[in-house]
Amino acid sequence: MIGVGVIGYGYWGPNLVRNFAQVKGGGVVAVCDADERRLEVVNKLYPAVATYRSVDEMLADPEVDAVAIATPVSSHFPLAESVLLAGKHVFVEKPFTRTSEEGERLVSLADEAGLTLMVDHTFIYTSAVRKIHELIAGGELGQLHYYDSVRVNLGLFQSDVSVMWDLAVHDLSIMDFLLGIDPVTVAATGVAHVAGQPENMAYITCMFPDNLIAHFHVNWLAPVKVRQTLVCGSEKMVVFDDVDMSEKVKVYDKGVILDEDPHEVYQKHVGYRTGDMWAPRLDNVEALAIETQHFVDCIVDGTTPDSDGQAGLRVVRILEAAQESMAHNGLPVEVPSMREVAR
């Protein structure tokens, strides 16, 4: 049995505790939080779980084999480093770290110690994203042309991170999982409408080989909540609408056909293909339940998580490039391919 400790019982921590308490082959054995009132709630709901106000005391608990970190991003690196140095597996909230240097250090520590390091990219464990991945991997969409994502709402303004590091991290992690390739360049623009606060809206563009382009719009200052992604291929197109409770994924047999006139070599004719739309059946299982089980299974089996430290690091690299581009009025910034380096 893998004993899991959770650091942080604020916004996301209760969800982690609830799901880790139900995983097969493991369970929650400890919760750490600086707020005594939160620990009182834990004691009432989970009387068998040990509670700590000190991280060092929890790490000294021999029952704790792995630790999930649900704290502000500024604390991810020091906490995860301490956990890895204590010889325990780590599950870290998104975004992985504040900088790629911090992420590289954690990946290196985990590799050297043979420990499982996983980043909470929850959306890639949803049945909707898994289905889209299946369609792309199976070649049903054909050659991919573009990836377009919108994530906007009248949301909670964050004071410690910009809208890119808060919202775009979700869509970048989905893109990383679905496409399986790294962008060549990243460009971004954004605006802070509240003086002294980080950007509350941003536009990010990622360029890939073979004219594949990905675009992201994230915004805390929108009158409606939109969570929509379009993936266009040469054969089919997919619309992922996370707000739609009945048909989150729709597959369209639509596209364009380019025919060359054999008599006029320089003349091309554009035709349109309009076919059926179908909405695949999706399993109604909580993504976090799948993700927490995956973490425990990876520890037990010694396998690599789908959202491992390398995946978290790739997303951080894109965010860093976007931040640099934004500081230079949208100038494209090159991103070295981690997957090529890995080979």
Side-chain angles (χ1 to χ4, degrees), residues 29-309:
V29 296
V31 173
C32 179
D33 197 289
D35 191 331
E36 189 65 41
R37 293 170 297 180
R38 293 176 179 174
L39 296 182
E40 290 175 0
V41 175
V42 175
N43 289 328
K44 291 179 181 179
L45 295 175
Y46 308 94
V49 172
T51 54
Y52 298 95
R53 294 189 65 181
S54 165
V55 172
D56 290 338
E57 288 182 8
M58 191 185 80
L59 293 181
D61 187 338
E63 297 296 317
V64 177
D65 303 303
V67 175
I69 299 171
T71 58
V73 64
S74 60
S75 63
H76 286 184
F77 173 71
L79 288 175
E81 183 182 43
S82 297
V83 174
L84 290 169
L85 291 174
K88 302 177 189 295
H89 309 280
V90 183
F91 179 98
V92 188
E93 259 304 290
K94 63 82 187 170
F96 181 30
T97 52
R98 290 178 301 178
T99 67
S100 56
E101 288 79 10
E102 291 180 347
E104 289 167 359
R105 164 69 173 165
L106 297 182
V107 168
S108 178
L109 279 176
D111 288 345
E112 291 172 1
L115 296 168
T116 299
L117 173 60
M118 182 167 164
V119 183
D120 185 9
H121 290 166
T122 311
F123 277 94
I124 76 167
Y125 297 95
T126 63
S127 55
V129 173
R130 293 278 167 166
K131 173 56 67 173
I132 299 171
H133 183 271
E134 178 186 316
L135 294 170
I136 293 175
E140 291 197 40
L141 272 61
Q143 180 180 354
L144 297 183
H145 293 325
Y146 70 79
Y147 183 105
D148 192 272
S149 177
V150 179
R151 184 177 296 269
V152 305
N153 60 271
L154 193 60
L156 178 64
F157 277 63
Q158 306 289 335
S159 59
D160 57 337
V161 294
S162 71
V163 69
M164 289 196 306
W165 288 79
D166 180 50
L167 294 185
V169 62
H170 292 303
D171 301 297
L172 292 173
S173 67
I174 295 172
M175 178 194 73
D176 177 78
F177 177 68
L178 292 179
L179 302 188
I181 55 176
D182 296 330
V184 177
T185 61
V186 175
T189 54
V191 176
H193 291 101
V194 179
Q197 296 296 309
E199 293 84 6
N200 57 267
M201 67 178 298
Y203 299 90
I204 307 170
T205 302
C206 298
M207 298 299 300
F208 296 85
D210 300 322
N211 289 328
L212 173 60
I213 184 172
H215 185 261
F216 305 87
H217 173 203
V218 287
N219 191 350
W220 285 326
L221 195 60
V224 293
K225 181 176 181 178
V226 181
R227 301 279 188 273
Q228 192 171 79
T229 299
L230 281 71
V231 185
C232 173
S234 58
E235 300 299 322
K236 291 184 175 67
M237 304 181 188
V238 171
V239 176
F240 168 34
D241 189 344
D242 197 41
V243 177
D244 191 329
M245 293 295 102
S246 59
E247 296 180 340
K248 286 186 179 294
V249 176
K250 295 178 182 178
V251 184
Y252 292 85
D253 184 13
K254 293 184 177 182
V256 296
I257 303 171
L258 295 177
D259 290 326
E260 291 188 3
D261 189 329
H263 302 293
E264 299 180 36
V265 68
Y266 298 109
Q267 182 70 33
K268 288 191 176 183
H269 299 280
V270 179
Y272 296 92
R273 185 186 71 255
T274 303
D276 295 332
M277 183 283 290
W278 63 285
R281 186 186 69 82
L282 303 175
D283 296 328
N284 188 23
V285 181
E286 184 180 1
L288 192 54
I290 296 173
E291 186 179 19
T292 50
Q293 185 64 62
H294 181 57
F295 177 58
V296 171
D297 290 343
C298 287
I299 294 174
V300 174
D301 302 333
T303 52
T304 302
D306 291 335
S307 55
D308 63 351

